[in-house]
């Protein structure tokens, strides 16, 4: 009986040990499999991110090329047509003894249109943009806006920013988009643009006194202007934050990490 | 002495539950506190019955058995719920267990431990734990299982019920062996299994607490 009892005890202990080891093996398998699955998932996500970034980059390049060609077209075609019209008006004015005021106004308006188109075509032309730094380009753009619209744009910035040319263009387009949003959609009369740089970040803030918007509004989530700003900022490895209250204006802050710069 | 170790382990788990689950959400996590309180009370009563009054405590554990099985069923049901429609499976499992439990208990007039019903419940829990693991691995999204409370709850149950299969199978023989020869092999095995179970559960409670802090 004693021997049999010991055998049974041994059998129970052995079986329990085997079952526990089997349980540990299954447990280990689940943990390892999950770890592998997580790694695979992270790699997939990383690849997806890289793909999205590449896609955005290509989209931006195409957009830049289109804008550049549009700028050239405006300068070489529309501007030339307006110049011809101006010449014809000047020729007509020379032959007239008394110049009608409407003709004078037309001449001035055409001059203004030529100046605006030249300025606009410059801001769209990538080659032109590459010759100047972001701050100079922004000054030109702001002067253009100040000259042609009813809004006043105030600009403050450091002396220079340590950005690569393509990143300068990207940030320039973001600010341009932000400014257009303030003018077109918010109906702002005052726009403040501030550029600043710390060792960690480059920051751009665009604040206006326009009508503001609802952050959670469905249209705002899908609006191409906001999406463009967000995707361009993401491409620079930064983030865009809007702070807006209806009737009290909007403030857009772009924060780009210096390491990506 | 061996019996006291199990009580200490259970009280430690109760203490952890009290510290970590009082404000846990969803609310069903708080039911662990009630269950641990009940477990500790039963364990102390069983200890006193056996060592102070020198009477068999099988009847006491027989009262505890349906509470334990229904609670574990409920917990596993809640954990498996996001993965598949687990309600009918757990209801069916609980009903089969209760039928077996009452048949066995009526036969012994509630004086003996219903080991066959316990074996049925154990087998059911082992299967459900494996199903949970399968669902967890098949799931599209990944979770960090090292800090996933539900995973540790299921793992504790899996180790406890799978490891205890041999003891449950030889329950009657080991009980008589303990009475006749004082070889406490079943107690020793259950100390180890209880330690694994309550260690896993305590760790799950801590993970749940940390998760609550990080998400608030």
């Amino acid at each position: 009986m004693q021997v049999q009892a010991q055998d049974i005890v041994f059998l129970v202990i052995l079986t329990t040990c085997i079952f526990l080891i089997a349980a540990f093996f299954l447990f280990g398998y689940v943990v390892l499999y999950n770890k592998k699955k997580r790694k695979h998932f992270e790699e997939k996500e990383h690849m997806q991110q890289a793909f999205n970034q590449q896609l955005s980059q290509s989209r931006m390049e195409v957009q830049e090329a289109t804008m550049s060609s549009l700028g050239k077209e405006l300068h070489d075609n529309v501007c030339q047509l307006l110049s011809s019209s101006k010449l014809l008006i000047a020729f007509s004015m020379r032959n007239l003894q008394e110049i009608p005021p409407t003709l004078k106004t037309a001449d001035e308006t055409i001059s203004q249109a030529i100046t605006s188109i030249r300025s606009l075509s410059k801001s769209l032309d990538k080659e032109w943009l590459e010759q100047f730094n972001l701050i100079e380009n922004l000054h030109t753009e702001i002067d253009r806006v100040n000259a042609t619209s009813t809004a006043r744009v105030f600009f403050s910035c450091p002396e220079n920013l340590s950005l690569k040319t393509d990143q300068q263009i990207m940030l320039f387009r973001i600010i341009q988009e932000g400014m257009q949003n303030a003018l077109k959609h918010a109906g702002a009369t005052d726009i403040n643009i501030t550029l600043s740089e710390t060792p960690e970040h480059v920051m751009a803030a665009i604040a206006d006194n326009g009508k503001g918007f609802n952050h959670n509004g469905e249209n705002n989530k899908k609006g191409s202007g906001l999406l463009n700003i967000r995707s361009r900022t993401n491409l620079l490895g930064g983030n865009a934050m809007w702070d807006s209250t209806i009737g009290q204006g909007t403030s857009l802050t772009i924060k780009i990490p210096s390491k990506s710069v | 002495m061996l019996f006291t170790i199990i009580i200490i382990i259970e009280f430690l788990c109760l203490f952890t539950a009290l510290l970590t689950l009082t404000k846990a959400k969803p609310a069903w996590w708080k039911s662990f506190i009630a269950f641990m309180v009940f477990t500790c009370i039963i364990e102390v009563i069983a200890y006193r019955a056996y060592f102070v009054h020198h009477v068999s405590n099988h009847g006491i554990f027989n009262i505890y058995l349906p509470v334990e099985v229904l609670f574990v069923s409920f917990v596993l049901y809640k954990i498996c719920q996001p993965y598949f429609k687990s309600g009918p499976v757990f209801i069916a499992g609980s009903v089969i267990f209760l039928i077996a439990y009452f048949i066995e208990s009526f036969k012994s007039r509630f004086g003996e431990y219903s080991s066959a019903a316990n074996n049925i419940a154990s087998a059911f829990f082992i299967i459900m734990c494996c199903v949970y693991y399968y669902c967890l691995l098949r799931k599209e999204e990944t979770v960090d299982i090292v800090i996933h409370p539900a995973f540790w709850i299921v793992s504790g149950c899996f180790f406890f019920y799978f490891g205890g299969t041999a003891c449950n199978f030889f329950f009657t023989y080991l009980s008589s062996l303990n009475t006749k020869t004082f070889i406490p092999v079943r107690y020793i095995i259950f100390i180890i299994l209880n330690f694994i179970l309550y260690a896993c559960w305590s760790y799950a409670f801590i993970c749940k607490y940390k998760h609550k802090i990080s998400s608030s």
Side-chain angles (χ1 to χ4, degrees), chain B residues 7-117:
Chain B
I7 295 174
I8 292 166
I9 293 167
E10 283 167 348
F11 267 97
L12 281 173
C13 185
L14 169 64
F15 185 65
T16 315
L18 282 169
L19 281 177
T20 54
L21 297 179
T22 40
K23 286 175 186 173
K25 276 178 188 172
W28 65 266
W29 277 90
K30 290 176 194 168
S31 62
F32 274 101
I33 299 172
F35 175 70
M36 287 314 300
V37 168
F38 182 72
T39 305
C40 290
I41 291 169
I42 287 290
E43 212 70 56
V44 171
I45 293 170
Y47 175 83
R48 284 186 64 81
Y50 191 74
F51 292 101
V52 179
H53 302 288
H54 302 290
V55 289
S56 168
N57 55 17
H58 285 188
I60 297 163
F61 282 118
N62 198 45
I63 294 165
Y64 172 73
L65 181 65
V67 179
E68 177 202 337
V69 170
L70 293 179
F71 176 76
V72 175
S73 286
F74 168 72
V75 168
L76 289 179
Y77 157 69
K78 283 286 179 187
I79 289 172
C80 292
Q81 207 179 19
Y83 299 99
F84 64 99
K85 210 177 166 185
S86 54
V89 181
F90 282 98
I91 290 169
S94 302
V95 168
I96 292 167
F97 160 77
L98 286 173
I99 292 167
Y101 172 78
F102 282 112
I103 291 171
E104 213 178 345
S105 295
F106 276 120
K107 272 184 188 172
S108 68
R109 296 184 179 183
F110 288 88
E112 287 297 320
Y113 188 68
S114 304
S115 60

Side-chain angles (χ1 to χ4, degrees), chain A residues 1-2 4-6 8-13 15-35 37-39 41-42 44, chain B residues 130 133 135-146 151-152 155 158-160 162-167 170 173-174 177 180-181 183 185 189 192-193 196:
Chain A
M1 176 66 194
Q2 187 63 30
Q4 201 186 2
Q6 278 175 352
I8 296 283
V9 167
F10 177 72
L11 182 72
V12 169
I13 292 169
T15 318
T16 305
C17 286
I18 290 167
F19 275 37
L20 271 177
I21 290 165
F24 271 108
F25 264 108
L26 184 64
F27 175 82
Y29 173 77
V30 172
V31 173
L32 281 176
Y33 188 93
N34 192 70
K35 204 176 163 184
K37 202 174 94 173
R38 260 177 82 85
K39 204 178 162 187
F41 188 77
E42 276 167 11
K44 204 175 132 187
Chain B
C130 290
Y133 284 151
C135 292
L136 189 75
L137 296 183
R138 240 190 80 189
K139 200 182 165 190
E140 194 73 25
E141 305 90 56
T142 56
V143 286
D144 189 357
I145 53 174
V146 179
F151 173 75
W152 288 100
S155 295
F158 182 65
F159 282 121
F160 183 79
F162 197 56
T165 308
C167 277
F170 290 104
Y173 184 81
L174 291 172
L177 193 74
K180 286 173 192 168
T181 61
I183 302 173
V185 63
I189 289 169
I192 297 164
L193 294 177
I196 296 170

Side-chain angles (χ1 to χ4, degrees), chain A residues 176-190:
Chain A
Q176 243 184 346
E177 189 88 55
M179 217 157 45
Q180 286 306 313
N181 283 345
L183 291 169
K184 279 185 190 169
H185 306 297
T189 52
D190 283 343

Side-chain angles (χ1 to χ4, degrees), chain A residues 71 74 115-125 141 144:
Chain A
L74 277 172
T115 316
S116 295
I117 287 174
R118 273 187 185 149
S119 165
L120 182 66
S121 74
K122 269 186 182 179
S123 73
L124 292 174
D125 187 5
E141 180 71 4
R144 186 182 71 80

